[in-house]
Amino acid sequence: METKFIKVDLNNVEKEELKEAGEILRNGGLVAFPTETVYGLGGDARNKNASKAIYAAKGRPSDNPLIVHIAKFSQLEEIVREVPENAKKLADAFWPGPMTLILNKNDEIPKETTGGLDTVAIRLPSHPVARELILESGCLIAAPSANTSGRPSPTKAAHVAEDLSGKIDCIIDGGEVEIGLESTIIDLTEEIPVILRPGYISLEDVIAVTKEAKMDPGIMSENKKVRPKAPGMRYRHYAPKGNLIVCEGTKEAVVEKINSLAKQDAEAGKKVAILASAETESLYHYGDVFVLGSFSHEEEIARNLYGSLREFDEKGMEMIYSEAFETPHMGAAIMNRLLKAAGHQIITVS
Ligand code: AMP
Ligand code: MG
């Protein structure tokens, strides 16, 4: 299949440019598009065959449900059994934006879209292209991240093309995304809201709105017996081909440890990468240093993480040492993805 590329000017998103993409979606085809979090791979959420095609293009396990993207709150009411008070409050506070709500579904959305579950994940994105595409197509758009299953989520159209070119109908290029980590997923099917996946919207942000909320104990745990509730959080994800190890502790101790490990590997002839911050970049003396960003701009660190994980593979890095990025607001989300990519290999120094 030939994949069509559509380039969109974000300052001036024209309906005309998205017309063809809308038609592809209505006909059951697949379109990758930018959102404020990462690029999504979209299909008509009400069309089982479109959902099946999404799983096939990504090589995604069929029990890992998709997120349904809407453009108006009234579209949520069309697909759920009831709208709890917390859904209204959270939507008021964070939609349009990087938040996904899990609610009990009605029969509008087929089980092929929800990985066989009776619940459905719903997001109302803020990105102008995502919103226009939903409205133009007249579909609710089921969209997981637009990467091959297991690889880091795409933060620019070139990443999508790397993974899915020739396998999907269309890629809309809207430049680099803003946030760079997937949405915060909040399960509202139980008494207390539960965060199933951390993201830009933090636990504290949620508690400020709903008074009570908790993290799914399964997500940060290495203990295989505590299973994450979101099926997608159970899979190996984001891991580069090289061996990634995270080092945590005081800044000085971390720099010293990484320098000594990197020296050993470099002397043994291995290709070594170091994932550092703007503040520590100049303190490393071995290997290739990749700077995610400054600790004073944690958004930058989040936005650059997935692109760096992809670059390690492109450059054939064999050993990768990363600092821990426990930043104040997005630290939980960043560390969740980083530790997954590292297969939970972490060294603590002091
Ligand atoms: P992705 O958009 O690729 O980040 O994948 C969607 C994420 O949402 C995966 O981690 C899914 O497991 C999760 N998800 C989607 N629907 C549900 C649901 N009904 N219950 C729990 N998790 C869900
Ligand atoms: Mg994904």
Side-chain angles (χ1 to χ4, degrees), residues 58 60 64-67 102 117 119-121 143-145 182 185 196-197 229-233:
K58 281 179 60 86
R60 180 177 177 106
N64 187 5
L66 312 177
I67 294 175
I102 309 287
L117 298 176
T119 53
V120 58
S145 50
E182 303 86 343
I185 301 180
L196 304 187
R197 177 172 73 186
K229 189 167 176 195
M233 300 297 279

mmCIF file with all atom_site columns, all heavy atoms in Angstrom, residues 58 60 64-67 102 117 119-121 143-145 182 185 196-197 229-233, ligand 1:
data_model
loop_
_atom_site.group_PDB
_atom_site.id
_atom_site.type_symbol
_atom_site.label_atom_id
_atom_site.label_alt_id
_atom_site.label_comp_id
_atom_site.label_asym_id
_atom_site.label_entity_id
_atom_site.label_seq_id
_atom_site.pdbx_PDB_ins_code
_atom_site.Cartn_x
_atom_site.Cartn_y
_atom_site.Cartn_z
_atom_site.occupancy
_atom_site.B_iso_or_equiv
_atom_site.pdbx_formal_charge
_atom_site.auth_seq_id
_atom_site.auth_comp_id
_atom_site.auth_asym_id
_atom_site.auth_atom_id
_atom_site.pdbx_PDB_model_num
ATOM   1   N N   . LYS A 1 58  ? 0.032   -2.228 13.586 1.00 0.00 ? 58  LYS A N   1
ATOM   2   C CA  . LYS A 1 58  ? 0.978   -2.017 14.693 1.00 0.00 ? 58  LYS A CA  1
ATOM   3   C C   . LYS A 1 58  ? 1.623   -3.312 15.179 1.00 0.00 ? 58  LYS A C   1
ATOM   4   O O   . LYS A 1 58  ? 2.599   -3.277 15.927 1.00 0.00 ? 58  LYS A O   1
ATOM   5   C CB  . LYS A 1 58  ? 0.239   -1.401 15.897 1.00 0.00 ? 58  LYS A CB  1
ATOM   6   C CG  . LYS A 1 58  ? -0.022  0.070  15.803 1.00 0.00 ? 58  LYS A CG  1
ATOM   7   C CD  . LYS A 1 58  ? -0.781  0.559  17.043 1.00 0.00 ? 58  LYS A CD  1
ATOM   8   C CE  . LYS A 1 58  ? -0.049  0.346  18.356 1.00 0.00 ? 58  LYS A CE  1
ATOM   9   N NZ  . LYS A 1 58  ? 0.886   1.375  18.758 1.00 0.00 ? 58  LYS A NZ  1
ATOM   10  N N   . ARG A 1 60  ? -0.049  -5.127 17.239 1.00 0.00 ? 60  ARG A N   1
ATOM   11  C CA  . ARG A 1 60  ? -0.441  -4.958 18.642 1.00 0.00 ? 60  ARG A CA  1
ATOM   12  C C   . ARG A 1 60  ? -1.264  -6.151 19.110 1.00 0.00 ? 60  ARG A C   1
ATOM   13  O O   . ARG A 1 60  ? -2.172  -6.596 18.398 1.00 0.00 ? 60  ARG A O   1
ATOM   14  C CB  . ARG A 1 60  ? -1.271  -3.680 18.741 1.00 0.00 ? 60  ARG A CB  1
ATOM   15  C CG  . ARG A 1 60  ? -1.796  -3.297 20.129 1.00 0.00 ? 60  ARG A CG  1
ATOM   16  C CD  . ARG A 1 60  ? -2.505  -1.965 19.979 1.00 0.00 ? 60  ARG A CD  1
ATOM   17  N NE  . ARG A 1 60  ? -3.135  -1.430 21.148 1.00 0.00 ? 60  ARG A NE  1
ATOM   18  C CZ  . ARG A 1 60  ? -2.663  -0.392 21.852 1.00 0.00 ? 60  ARG A CZ  1
ATOM   19  N NH1 . ARG A 1 60  ? -1.517  0.166  21.528 1.00 0.00 ? 60  ARG A NH1 1
ATOM   20  N NH2 . ARG A 1 60  ? -3.339  0.084  22.872 1.00 0.00 ? 60  ARG A NH2 1
ATOM   21  N N   . ASN A 1 64  ? -5.219  -5.488 23.866 1.00 0.00 ? 64  ASN A N   1
ATOM   22  C CA  . ASN A 1 64  ? -4.776  -4.186 24.354 1.00 0.00 ? 64  ASN A CA  1
ATOM   23  C C   . ASN A 1 64  ? -5.652  -3.094 23.739 1.00 0.00 ? 64  ASN A C   1
ATOM   24  O O   . ASN A 1 64  ? -5.484  -2.716 22.593 1.00 0.00 ? 64  ASN A O   1
ATOM   25  C CB  . ASN A 1 64  ? -3.305  -3.982 23.966 1.00 0.00 ? 64  ASN A CB  1
ATOM   26  C CG  . ASN A 1 64  ? -2.726  -2.728 24.590 1.00 0.00 ? 64  ASN A CG  1
ATOM   27  O OD1 . ASN A 1 64  ? -3.390  -2.051 25.377 1.00 0.00 ? 64  ASN A OD1 1
ATOM   28  N ND2 . ASN A 1 64  ? -1.507  -2.405 24.225 1.00 0.00 ? 64  ASN A ND2 1
ATOM   29  N N   . PRO A 1 65  ? -6.628  -2.588 24.520 1.00 0.00 ? 65  PRO A N   1
ATOM   30  C CA  . PRO A 1 65  ? -7.667  -1.717 23.956 1.00 0.00 ? 65  PRO A CA  1
ATOM   31  C C   . PRO A 1 65  ? -7.160  -0.383 23.411 1.00 0.00 ? 65  PRO A C   1
ATOM   32  O O   . PRO A 1 65  ? -6.097  0.083  23.791 1.00 0.00 ? 65  PRO A O   1
ATOM   33  C CB  . PRO A 1 65  ? -8.604  -1.493 25.140 1.00 0.00 ? 65  PRO A CB  1
ATOM   34  C CG  . PRO A 1 65  ? -7.817  -1.816 26.354 1.00 0.00 ? 65  PRO A CG  1
ATOM   35  C CD  . PRO A 1 65  ? -6.779  -2.810 25.965 1.00 0.00 ? 65  PRO A CD  1
ATOM   36  N N   . LEU A 1 66  ? -7.987  0.204  22.529 1.00 0.00 ? 66  LEU A N   1
ATOM   37  C CA  . LEU A 1 66  ? -7.642  1.476  21.892 1.00 0.00 ? 66  LEU A CA  1
ATOM   38  C C   . LEU A 1 66  ? -8.341  2.627  22.619 1.00 0.00 ? 66  LEU A C   1
ATOM   39  O O   . LEU A 1 66  ? -9.341  2.410  23.293 1.00 0.00 ? 66  LEU A O   1
ATOM   40  C CB  . LEU A 1 66  ? -8.108  1.433  20.433 1.00 0.00 ? 66  LEU A CB  1
ATOM   41  C CG  . LEU A 1 66  ? -7.717  0.179  19.648 1.00 0.00 ? 66  LEU A CG  1
ATOM   42  C CD1 . LEU A 1 66  ? -8.313  0.234  18.238 1.00 0.00 ? 66  LEU A CD1 1
ATOM   43  C CD2 . LEU A 1 66  ? -6.193  0.021  19.589 1.00 0.00 ? 66  LEU A CD2 1
ATOM   44  N N   . ILE A 1 67  ? -7.828  3.829  22.460 1.00 0.00 ? 67  ILE A N   1
ATOM   45  C CA  . ILE A 1 67  ? -8.477  5.009  23.043 1.00 0.00 ? 67  ILE A CA  1
ATOM   46  C C   . ILE A 1 67  ? -9.378  5.643  21.982 1.00 0.00 ? 67  ILE A C   1
ATOM   47  O O   . ILE A 1 67  ? -8.959  5.813  20.831 1.00 0.00 ? 67  ILE A O   1
ATOM   48  C CB  . ILE A 1 67  ? -7.419  6.020  23.542 1.00 0.00 ? 67  ILE A CB  1
ATOM   49  C CG1 . ILE A 1 67  ? -6.626  5.410  24.710 1.00 0.00 ? 67  ILE A CG1 1
ATOM   50  C CG2 . ILE A 1 67  ? -8.079  7.339  23.955 1.00 0.00 ? 67  ILE A CG2 1
ATOM   51  C CD1 . ILE A 1 67  ? -5.473  6.263  25.213 1.00 0.00 ? 67  ILE A CD1 1
ATOM   52  N N   . ILE A 1 102 ? -11.570 6.256  31.652 1.00 0.00 ? 102 ILE A N   1
ATOM   53  C CA  . ILE A 1 102 ? -12.140 4.916  31.435 1.00 0.00 ? 102 ILE A CA  1
ATOM   54  C C   . ILE A 1 102 ? -13.529 4.885  32.054 1.00 0.00 ? 102 ILE A C   1
ATOM   55  O O   . ILE A 1 102 ? -13.691 5.163  33.250 1.00 0.00 ? 102 ILE A O   1
ATOM   56  C CB  . ILE A 1 102 ? -11.277 3.810  32.105 1.00 0.00 ? 102 ILE A CB  1
ATOM   57  C CG1 . ILE A 1 102 ? -9.808  3.914  31.716 1.00 0.00 ? 102 ILE A CG1 1
ATOM   58  C CG2 . ILE A 1 102 ? -11.862 2.427  31.836 1.00 0.00 ? 102 ILE A CG2 1
ATOM   59  C CD1 . ILE A 1 102 ? -9.478  3.497  30.327 1.00 0.00 ? 102 ILE A CD1 1
ATOM   60  N N   . LEU A 1 117 ? -13.055 -5.601 26.309 1.00 0.00 ? 117 LEU A N   1
ATOM   61  C CA  . LEU A 1 117 ? -13.527 -5.113 27.618 1.00 0.00 ? 117 LEU A CA  1
ATOM   62  C C   . LEU A 1 117 ? -14.908 -4.454 27.523 1.00 0.00 ? 117 LEU A C   1
ATOM   63  O O   . LEU A 1 117 ? -15.329 -4.025 26.453 1.00 0.00 ? 117 LEU A O   1
ATOM   64  C CB  . LEU A 1 117 ? -12.535 -4.088 28.184 1.00 0.00 ? 117 LEU A CB  1
ATOM   65  C CG  . LEU A 1 117 ? -11.119 -4.588 28.471 1.00 0.00 ? 117 LEU A CG  1
ATOM   66  C CD1 . LEU A 1 117 ? -10.244 -3.425 28.935 1.00 0.00 ? 117 LEU A CD1 1
ATOM   67  C CD2 . LEU A 1 117 ? -11.136 -5.685 29.535 1.00 0.00 ? 117 LEU A CD2 1
ATOM   68  N N   . THR A 1 119 ? -15.472 -1.789 29.200 1.00 0.00 ? 119 THR A N   1
ATOM   69  C CA  . THR A 1 119 ? -15.189 -0.382 29.477 1.00 0.00 ? 119 THR A CA  1
ATOM   70  C C   . THR A 1 119 ? -14.546 0.227  28.231 1.00 0.00 ? 119 THR A C   1
ATOM   71  O O   . THR A 1 119 ? -14.052 -0.492 27.363 1.00 0.00 ? 119 THR A O   1
ATOM   72  C CB  . THR A 1 119 ? -14.228 -0.252 30.670 1.00 0.00 ? 119 THR A CB  1
ATOM   73  O OG1 . THR A 1 119 ? -13.083 -1.066 30.410 1.00 0.00 ? 119 THR A OG1 1
ATOM   74  C CG2 . THR A 1 119 ? -14.878 -0.687 31.967 1.00 0.00 ? 119 THR A CG2 1
ATOM   75  N N   . VAL A 1 120 ? -14.588 1.565  28.167 1.00 0.00 ? 120 VAL A N   1
ATOM   76  C CA  . VAL A 1 120 ? -14.000 2.235  26.997 1.00 0.00 ? 120 VAL A CA  1
ATOM   77  C C   . VAL A 1 120 ? -13.140 3.410  27.477 1.00 0.00 ? 120 VAL A C   1
ATOM   78  O O   . VAL A 1 120 ? -13.493 4.100  28.431 1.00 0.00 ? 120 VAL A O   1
ATOM   79  C CB  . VAL A 1 120 ? -15.103 2.688  26.003 1.00 0.00 ? 120 VAL A CB  1
ATOM   80  C CG1 . VAL A 1 120 ? -16.110 3.631  26.648 1.00 0.00 ? 120 VAL A CG1 1
ATOM   81  C CG2 . VAL A 1 120 ? -14.493 3.343  24.765 1.00 0.00 ? 120 VAL A CG2 1
ATOM   82  N N   . ALA A 1 121 ? -12.009 3.606  26.801 1.00 0.00 ? 121 ALA A N   1
ATOM   83  C CA  . ALA A 1 121 ? -11.113 4.724  27.102 1.00 0.00 ? 121 ALA A CA  1
ATOM   84  C C   . ALA A 1 121 ? -11.446 5.872  26.157 1.00 0.00 ? 121 ALA A C   1
ATOM   85  O O   . ALA A 1 121 ? -11.572 5.671  24.955 1.00 0.00 ? 121 ALA A O   1
ATOM   86  C CB  . ALA A 1 121 ? -9.661  4.281  26.902 1.00 0.00 ? 121 ALA A CB  1
ATOM   87  N N   . ALA A 1 143 ? -7.719  5.440  18.398 1.00 0.00 ? 143 ALA A N   1
ATOM   88  C CA  . ALA A 1 143 ? -6.311  5.634  18.044 1.00 0.00 ? 143 ALA A CA  1
ATOM   89  C C   . ALA A 1 143 ? -5.377  5.292  19.192 1.00 0.00 ? 143 ALA A C   1
ATOM   90  O O   . ALA A 1 143 ? -5.399  5.939  20.227 1.00 0.00 ? 143 ALA A O   1
ATOM   91  C CB  . ALA A 1 143 ? -6.069  7.082  17.614 1.00 0.00 ? 143 ALA A CB  1
ATOM   92  N N   . PRO A 1 144 ? -4.573  4.269  18.995 1.00 0.00 ? 144 PRO A N   1
ATOM   93  C CA  . PRO A 1 144 ? -3.452  4.068  19.900 1.00 0.00 ? 144 PRO A CA  1
ATOM   94  C C   . PRO A 1 144 ? -2.283  4.886  19.352 1.00 0.00 ? 144 PRO A C   1
ATOM   95  O O   . PRO A 1 144 ? -2.424  5.564  18.336 1.00 0.00 ? 144 PRO A O   1
ATOM   96  C CB  . PRO A 1 144 ? -3.160  2.575  19.755 1.00 0.00 ? 144 PRO A CB  1
ATOM   97  C CG  . PRO A 1 144 ? -3.519  2.269  18.338 1.00 0.00 ? 144 PRO A CG  1
ATOM   98  C CD  . PRO A 1 144 ? -4.613  3.246  17.935 1.00 0.00 ? 144 PRO A CD  1
ATOM   99  N N   . SER A 1 145 ? -1.138  4.838  20.006 1.00 0.00 ? 145 SER A N   1
ATOM   100 C CA  . SER A 1 145 ? 0.036   5.543  19.478 1.00 0.00 ? 145 SER A CA  1
ATOM   101 C C   . SER A 1 145 ? 0.423   4.930  18.124 1.00 0.00 ? 145 SER A C   1
ATOM   102 O O   . SER A 1 145 ? 0.254   3.724  17.904 1.00 0.00 ? 145 SER A O   1
ATOM   103 C CB  . SER A 1 145 ? 1.179   5.430  20.477 1.00 0.00 ? 145 SER A CB  1
ATOM   104 O OG  . SER A 1 145 ? 1.360   4.081  20.860 1.00 0.00 ? 145 SER A OG  1
ATOM   105 N N   . GLU A 1 182 ? 2.505   9.844  26.462 1.00 0.00 ? 182 GLU A N   1
ATOM   106 C CA  . GLU A 1 182 ? 1.086   9.551  26.270 1.00 0.00 ? 182 GLU A CA  1
ATOM   107 C C   . GLU A 1 182 ? 0.231   10.127 27.415 1.00 0.00 ? 182 GLU A C   1
ATOM   108 O O   . GLU A 1 182 ? 0.741   10.413 28.500 1.00 0.00 ? 182 GLU A O   1
ATOM   109 C CB  . GLU A 1 182 ? 0.852   8.038  26.188 1.00 0.00 ? 182 GLU A CB  1
ATOM   110 C CG  . GLU A 1 182 ? 1.642   7.327  25.109 1.00 0.00 ? 182 GLU A CG  1
ATOM   111 C CD  . GLU A 1 182 ? 3.030   6.917  25.568 1.00 0.00 ? 182 GLU A CD  1
ATOM   112 O OE1 . GLU A 1 182 ? 3.520   7.448  26.593 1.00 0.00 ? 182 GLU A OE1 1
ATOM   113 O OE2 . GLU A 1 182 ? 3.635   6.066  24.896 1.00 0.00 ? 182 GLU A OE2 1
ATOM   114 N N   . ILE A 1 185 ? -4.087  8.224  32.038 1.00 0.00 ? 185 ILE A N   1
ATOM   115 C CA  . ILE A 1 185 ? -5.331  7.432  31.969 1.00 0.00 ? 185 ILE A CA  1
ATOM   116 C C   . ILE A 1 185 ? -5.924  7.331  33.370 1.00 0.00 ? 185 ILE A C   1
ATOM   117 O O   . ILE A 1 185 ? -5.237  6.906  34.312 1.00 0.00 ? 185 ILE A O   1
ATOM   118 C CB  . ILE A 1 185 ? -5.064  6.009  31.429 1.00 0.00 ? 185 ILE A CB  1
ATOM   119 C CG1 . ILE A 1 185 ? -4.453  6.075  30.022 1.00 0.00 ? 185 ILE A CG1 1
ATOM   120 C CG2 . ILE A 1 185 ? -6.359  5.196  31.413 1.00 0.00 ? 185 ILE A CG2 1
ATOM   121 C CD1 . ILE A 1 185 ? -4.163  4.706  29.410 1.00 0.00 ? 185 ILE A CD1 1
ATOM   122 N N   . LEU A 1 196 ? -4.223  4.835  35.832 1.00 0.00 ? 196 LEU A N   1
ATOM   123 C CA  . LEU A 1 196 ? -3.681  3.585  35.278 1.00 0.00 ? 196 LEU A CA  1
ATOM   124 C C   . LEU A 1 196 ? -2.383  3.836  34.516 1.00 0.00 ? 196 LEU A C   1
ATOM   125 O O   . LEU A 1 196 ? -1.607  2.918  34.292 1.00 0.00 ? 196 LEU A O   1
ATOM   126 C CB  . LEU A 1 196 ? -4.690  2.935  34.327 1.00 0.00 ? 196 LEU A CB  1
ATOM   127 C CG  . LEU A 1 196 ? -6.080  2.626  34.890 1.00 0.00 ? 196 LEU A CG  1
ATOM   128 C CD1 . LEU A 1 196 ? -6.877  1.830  33.867 1.00 0.00 ? 196 LEU A CD1 1
ATOM   129 C CD2 . LEU A 1 196 ? -5.984  1.850  36.194 1.00 0.00 ? 196 LEU A CD2 1
ATOM   130 N N   . ARG A 1 197 ? -2.220  5.083  34.050 1.00 0.00 ? 197 ARG A N   1
ATOM   131 C CA  . ARG A 1 197 ? -0.962  5.444  33.370 1.00 0.00 ? 197 ARG A CA  1
ATOM   132 C C   . ARG A 1 197 ? -0.665  6.903  33.691 1.00 0.00 ? 197 ARG A C   1
ATOM   133 O O   . ARG A 1 197 ? -1.504  7.762  33.435 1.00 0.00 ? 197 ARG A O   1
ATOM   134 C CB  . ARG A 1 197 ? -1.120  5.266  31.853 1.00 0.00 ? 197 ARG A CB  1
ATOM   135 C CG  . ARG A 1 197 ? 0.122   5.684  31.070 1.00 0.00 ? 197 ARG A CG  1
ATOM   136 C CD  . ARG A 1 197 ? 0.017   5.326  29.604 1.00 0.00 ? 197 ARG A CD  1
ATOM   137 N NE  . ARG A 1 197 ? -0.920  6.176  28.885 1.00 0.00 ? 197 ARG A NE  1
ATOM   138 C CZ  . ARG A 1 197 ? -1.277  6.002  27.616 1.00 0.00 ? 197 ARG A CZ  1
ATOM   139 N NH1 . ARG A 1 197 ? -0.786  5.001  26.921 1.00 0.00 ? 197 ARG A NH1 1
ATOM   140 N NH2 . ARG A 1 197 ? -2.131  6.827  27.033 1.00 0.00 ? 197 ARG A NH2 1
ATOM   141 N N   . LYS A 1 229 ? -3.546  -2.493 35.756 1.00 0.00 ? 229 LYS A N   1
ATOM   142 C CA  . LYS A 1 229 ? -4.909  -2.704 35.284 1.00 0.00 ? 229 LYS A CA  1
ATOM   143 C C   . LYS A 1 229 ? -5.058  -2.396 33.790 1.00 0.00 ? 229 LYS A C   1
ATOM   144 O O   . LYS A 1 229 ? -5.847  -3.032 33.097 1.00 0.00 ? 229 LYS A O   1
ATOM   145 C CB  . LYS A 1 229 ? -5.890  -1.856 36.108 1.00 0.00 ? 229 LYS A CB  1
ATOM   146 C CG  . LYS A 1 229 ? -7.314  -2.214 35.793 1.00 0.00 ? 229 LYS A CG  1
ATOM   147 C CD  . LYS A 1 229 ? -8.314  -1.658 36.769 1.00 0.00 ? 229 LYS A CD  1
ATOM   148 C CE  . LYS A 1 229 ? -9.727  -1.992 36.299 1.00 0.00 ? 229 LYS A CE  1
ATOM   149 N NZ  . LYS A 1 229 ? -10.750 -1.215 36.973 1.00 0.00 ? 229 LYS A NZ  1
ATOM   150 N N   . ALA A 1 230 ? -4.331  -1.399 33.287 1.00 0.00 ? 230 ALA A N   1
ATOM   151 C CA  . ALA A 1 230 ? -4.398  -1.111 31.840 1.00 0.00 ? 230 ALA A CA  1
ATOM   152 C C   . ALA A 1 230 ? -3.596  -2.185 31.108 1.00 0.00 ? 230 ALA A C   1
ATOM   153 O O   . ALA A 1 230 ? -2.398  -2.325 31.338 1.00 0.00 ? 230 ALA A O   1
ATOM   154 C CB  . ALA A 1 230 ? -3.829  0.261  31.536 1.00 0.00 ? 230 ALA A CB  1
ATOM   155 N N   . PRO A 1 231 ? -4.263  -2.949 30.220 1.00 0.00 ? 231 PRO A N   1
ATOM   156 C CA  . PRO A 1 231 ? -3.539  -4.048 29.555 1.00 0.00 ? 231 PRO A CA  1
ATOM   157 C C   . PRO A 1 231 ? -2.228  -3.586 28.914 1.00 0.00 ? 231 PRO A C   1
ATOM   158 O O   . PRO A 1 231 ? -1.212  -4.284 28.990 1.00 0.00 ? 231 PRO A O   1
ATOM   159 C CB  . PRO A 1 231 ? -4.542  -4.516 28.494 1.00 0.00 ? 231 PRO A CB  1
ATOM   160 C CG  . PRO A 1 231 ? -5.879  -4.164 29.057 1.00 0.00 ? 231 PRO A CG  1
ATOM   161 C CD  . PRO A 1 231 ? -5.681  -2.899 29.820 1.00 0.00 ? 231 PRO A CD  1
ATOM   162 N N   . GLY A 1 232 ? -2.250  -2.380 28.315 1.00 0.00 ? 232 GLY A N   1
ATOM   163 C CA  . GLY A 1 232 ? -1.064  -1.904 27.598 1.00 0.00 ? 232 GLY A CA  1
ATOM   164 C C   . GLY A 1 232 ? 0.132   -1.683 28.504 1.00 0.00 ? 232 GLY A C   1
ATOM   165 O O   . GLY A 1 232 ? 1.279   -1.638 28.045 1.00 0.00 ? 232 GLY A O   1
ATOM   166 N N   . MET A 1 233 ? -0.106  -1.503 29.805 1.00 0.00 ? 233 MET A N   1
ATOM   167 C CA  . MET A 1 233 ? 0.999   -1.237 30.727 1.00 0.00 ? 233 MET A CA  1
ATOM   168 C C   . MET A 1 233 ? 1.697   -2.535 31.136 1.00 0.00 ? 233 MET A C   1
ATOM   169 O O   . MET A 1 233 ? 2.694   -2.519 31.840 1.00 0.00 ? 233 MET A O   1
ATOM   170 C CB  . MET A 1 233 ? 0.484   -0.507 31.973 1.00 0.00 ? 233 MET A CB  1
ATOM   171 C CG  . MET A 1 233 ? -0.165  0.832  31.677 1.00 0.00 ? 233 MET A CG  1
ATOM   172 S SD  . MET A 1 233 ? 0.975   2.024  30.959 1.00 0.00 ? 233 MET A SD  1
ATOM   173 C CE  . MET A 1 233 ? 1.807   2.614  32.440 1.00 0.00 ? 233 MET A CE  1
HETATM 174 P P1  . AMP B 2 .   ? -1.814  3.831  23.484 1.00 0.00 ? 1   AMP B P1  1
HETATM 175 O O1  . AMP B 2 .   ? -2.813  4.794  22.956 1.00 0.00 ? 1   AMP B O1  1
HETATM 176 O O2  . AMP B 2 .   ? -1.006  3.142  22.441 1.00 0.00 ? 1   AMP B O2  1
HETATM 177 O O3  . AMP B 2 .   ? -0.965  4.487  24.490 1.00 0.00 ? 1   AMP B O3  1
HETATM 178 O O4  . AMP B 2 .   ? -2.637  2.687  24.200 1.00 0.00 ? 1   AMP B O4  1
HETATM 179 C C1  . AMP B 2 .   ? -3.806  2.910  24.924 1.00 0.00 ? 1   AMP B C1  1
HETATM 180 C C2  . AMP B 2 .   ? -3.607  2.604  26.380 1.00 0.00 ? 1   AMP B C2  1
HETATM 181 O O5  . AMP B 2 .   ? -4.868  2.734  27.020 1.00 0.00 ? 1   AMP B O5  1
HETATM 182 C C3  . AMP B 2 .   ? -3.120  1.194  26.641 1.00 0.00 ? 1   AMP B C3  1
HETATM 183 O O6  . AMP B 2 .   ? -2.198  1.195  27.719 1.00 0.00 ? 1   AMP B O6  1
HETATM 184 C C4  . AMP B 2 .   ? -4.403  0.490  27.026 1.00 0.00 ? 1   AMP B C4  1
HETATM 185 O O7  . AMP B 2 .   ? -4.179  -0.649 27.805 1.00 0.00 ? 1   AMP B O7  1
HETATM 186 C C5  . AMP B 2 .   ? -5.157  1.573  27.770 1.00 0.00 ? 1   AMP B C5  1
HETATM 187 N N1  . AMP B 2 .   ? -6.607  1.350  27.762 1.00 0.00 ? 1   AMP B N1  1
HETATM 188 C C6  . AMP B 2 .   ? -7.431  1.549  26.702 1.00 0.00 ? 1   AMP B C6  1
HETATM 189 N N2  . AMP B 2 .   ? -8.693  1.174  27.002 1.00 0.00 ? 1   AMP B N2  1
HETATM 190 C C7  . AMP B 2 .   ? -8.677  0.742  28.281 1.00 0.00 ? 1   AMP B C7  1
HETATM 191 C C8  . AMP B 2 .   ? -9.675  0.222  29.164 1.00 0.00 ? 1   AMP B C8  1
HETATM 192 N N3  . AMP B 2 .   ? -10.942 0.086  28.778 1.00 0.00 ? 1   AMP B N3  1
HETATM 193 N N4  . AMP B 2 .   ? -9.283  -0.146 30.408 1.00 0.00 ? 1   AMP B N4  1
HETATM 194 C C9  . AMP B 2 .   ? -7.997  0.002  30.806 1.00 0.00 ? 1   AMP B C9  1
HETATM 195 N N5  . AMP B 2 .   ? -7.007  0.483  30.004 1.00 0.00 ? 1   AMP B N5  1
HETATM 196 C C10 . AMP B 2 .   ? -7.338  0.844  28.761 1.00 0.00 ? 1   AMP B C10 1
#
